[in-house]
Amino acid sequence: MIRVLNIIDTMGSGGVERRRLSLAKLLDKTKFELKIICTNAVGDFPKEFKKYDVEIIEIGDLNSFLDIKQHRKVQKVINEFKPHIIHGAVFEGVTMAAINGFYKRVPIIILEETSDPQNRRWKGNLLMKMLCLTAHKVIGVSPAATNYLENKINLPKDKVILINNGVVIPIIESNENSKQIKLKYQILEDEIVIGSVGRMNSDAHKRFSDLIQAFSIIAHKNNKVKLVLVGDGPERSNYEQLVVKLGIENRVVFAGYQNEIGKFYSVFDIFCLVSAYEAFGLVLVEAMLHKLPIVATNVGGMSYIVDDNDTGFLVNKFDVNAICEKLHVLSDDADLRKQLGENGYAKALQNYTEERYVKNVEDLYTQLSTKNTIT
């Protein structure tokens, strides 16, 4: 039995946590035993791991790179669990896995770049490189992430491996469920619904303000469109104020945080994500698996997921007019929406499922374990 210790930052409902849940669910339990260290576990999501008998160990915030108290907690888990593989993701998880895996001589260290760190300072890049040099392999979750690893911090190419993120193939909601959501949010059957999903923590990242401004241009010309934003965070109140300022408060729905996002994809006709940066963009794949056409910014991993003019449209970041133009084209053409949605579904099904992701990770675990004579 190969023991694997995953280390991440806060466990909430993000993409990193979801991929760990995929590992908990689908890793071969006759070959691998999995434990997860996180700084904090919040909300209902951690309960999902209990279904698969995976222990979650909370240790509290990592307050600095050399937070000795927290590193000792990680070392205690290593002493007790004796992992063959330590696998760190997100900067905090990478830090704890690299330092303590190296110090405690864990046989295999795997690190994972889950972001597209456009704004990481040179000190952060240098630190990331130093940490990654302790690893046997460093996973990039998209070509944008591997490009950062190879060309920005100049890791040896044989140390870097691309394993694209993957998502759960959704159960398509019934028409009755979709009708209930439309009724709740006063969405008419003949309205075209433009949807987006994401945390509203910082407009510098997700740029919902650009989407709202683009939508307002369309909404003042077409009274049969609605914008539905799923997500919450400290920036939400600013978005609500912007909607009022633009005079479209009756055309925009703030649905807040939702545990079951799939119910909302079934209501959308178009999906739009106009982030300033994005390592991957899991919600794009989720939307594609619901056969939705995409409008997305040509940044990070999104530029690889969306095939321009085939599965959706790519626009330059911050370009409100371009966002508006593509949303207008899709809102006016049902046949185009259907064709792009079908194309996106086929691509996502082939490349971005959780089964494919877990198989790639399991193959890496097995390959490195065999190489290091772990059985």
Side-chain angles (χ1 to χ4, degrees):
M1 184 73 72
I2 298 171
R3 295 181 293 277
V4 182
L5 179 63
N6 267 260
I7 308 182
I8 62 174
D9 189 21
T10 297
M11 177 175 287
S13 60
V16 175
E17 301 95 304
R18 285 189 251 173
R19 296 296 63 75
R20 268 68 216 156
L21 185 59
S22 295
L23 294 175
K25 180 168 60 172
L26 298 176
L27 269 181
D28 187 342
K29 291 177 175 55
T30 67
K31 295 181 181 178
F32 300 97
E33 181 183 358
L34 184 66
K35 284 187 188 294
I36 299 176
I37 290 176
C38 64
T39 54
N40 300 283
V42 299
D44 295 330
F45 192 76
K47 296 177 183 177
E48 294 292 317
F49 285 87
K50 294 182 180 179
K51 298 177 183 178
Y52 306 105
D53 297 320
V54 172
E55 182 182 1
I56 305 298
I57 303 166
E58 293 182 72
I59 64 168
D61 291 335
L62 183 73
N63 295 312
S64 70
F65 170 65
L66 294 176
D67 189 335
I68 302 301
K69 181 180 177 181
Q70 299 307 89
H71 287 306
R72 284 176 176 166
K73 291 179 183 178
V74 175
Q75 291 166 22
K76 183 175 184 293
V77 176
I78 292 173
N79 289 338
E80 294 171 352
F81 185 48
K82 295 181 171 55
H84 301 102
I85 299 173
I86 193 166
H87 180 171
V90 187
F91 199 82
E92 292 81 357
V94 165
T95 298
M96 290 185 281
I99 290 175
N100 298 296
F102 181 79
Y103 178 69
K104 299 301 294 185
R105 298 185 180 181
V106 175
I108 298 167
I109 299 173
I110 298 172
L111 305 179
E112 187 168 332
E113 179 55 80
T114 60
S115 65
D116 182 22
Q118 296 295 317
N119 299 317
R120 188 176 286 166
R121 297 180 179 180
W122 71 267
K123 290 182 180 179
N125 289 327
L126 179 60
L127 177 56
M128 186 66 178
K129 180 171 184 176
M130 292 171 59
L131 295 171
C132 286
L133 289 175
T134 69
H136 294 79
K137 284 289 183 180
V138 184
I139 297 170
V141 300
S142 71
T146 57
N147 181 64
Y148 165 79
L149 294 169
E150 292 178 353
N151 299 316
K152 184 69 174 180
I153 64 172
N154 298 313
L155 288 183
K157 293 187 186 303
D158 62 355
K159 191 180 282 287
V160 177
I161 182 170
L162 171 64
I163 299 182
N164 280 308
N165 269 332
V167 305
V168 179
I169 297 175
I171 298 172
I172 304 301
E173 295 292 327
S174 68
N175 288 333
E176 185 58 35
N177 286 338
S178 298
K179 288 179 180 178
Q180 290 300 317
I181 292 177
K182 288 186 175 183
L183 183 64
K184 178 178 179 180
Y185 293 104
Q186 299 180 329
I187 300 169
L188 302 179
E189 284 298 324
D190 61 346
E191 287 182 318
I192 300 298
V193 180
I194 299 166
S196 193
V197 176
R199 294 172 178 169
M200 298 180 178
N201 292 338
S202 168
D203 195 49
H205 181 197
K206 295 296 184 182
R207 299 297 301 178
F208 284 115
S209 61
D210 291 340
L211 174 54
I212 290 168
Q213 290 181 69
F215 174 77
S216 73
I217 300 171
I218 300 171
H220 286 301
K221 296 177 181 178
N222 182 350
N223 63 1
K224 293 296 184 182
V225 292
K226 216 151 210 175
L227 176 63
V228 177
L229 302 176
V230 180
D232 212 341
E235 201 65 32
R236 175 174 169 173
S237 62
N238 291 330
Y239 297 141
E240 291 173 331
Q241 291 173 32
L242 177 60
V243 164
V244 172
K245 179 181 177 182
L246 294 169
I248 53 173
E249 57 266 38
N250 294 326
R251 311 289 290 282
V252 180
V253 173
F254 287 92
Y257 172 79
Q258 299 289 332
N259 274 326
E260 299 180 69
I261 299 175
K263 293 181 178 180
F264 285 83
Y265 287 116
S266 67
V267 173
F268 300 161
D269 297 291
I270 302 164
F271 189 81
C272 187
L273 187 67
V274 292
S275 305
Y277 56 92
E278 203 75 54
F280 188 78
L282 283 169
V283 291
L284 293 183
V285 176
E286 291 174 351
M288 289 161 68
L289 288 169
H290 282 85
K291 299 185 178 181
L292 293 174
I294 307 295
V295 175
T297 36
N298 190 16
V299 299
M302 300 200 295
S303 61
Y304 298 92
I305 294 172
V306 178
D307 294 331
D308 194 30
N309 293 300
D310 185 59
T311 66
F313 295 117
L314 291 170
V315 298
N316 291 331
K317 62 182 178 180
F318 313 133
D319 193 337
V320 171
N321 289 329
I323 298 165
C324 174
E325 177 191 345
K326 298 307 182 184
L327 290 176
H328 178 71
V329 168
L330 287 172
S331 62
D332 276 0
D333 194 333
D335 290 337
L336 180 61
R337 293 198 302 269
K338 186 176 188 301
Q339 184 59 61
L340 297 185
E342 293 286 351
N343 293 347
Y345 176 76
K347 180 176 182 179
L349 203 60
Q350 181 175 358
N351 296 286
Y352 302 122
T353 64
E354 70 168 351
E355 288 81 4
R356 192 271 318 146
Y357 170 81
V358 173
K359 183 182 185 304
N360 289 166
V361 172
E362 185 170 308
D363 287 347
L364 178 62
Y365 286 171
T366 301
Q367 172 194 338
L368 292 176
S369 297
T370 301
K371 185 176 180 179
N372 288 271
T373 63
I374 294 171
T375 57

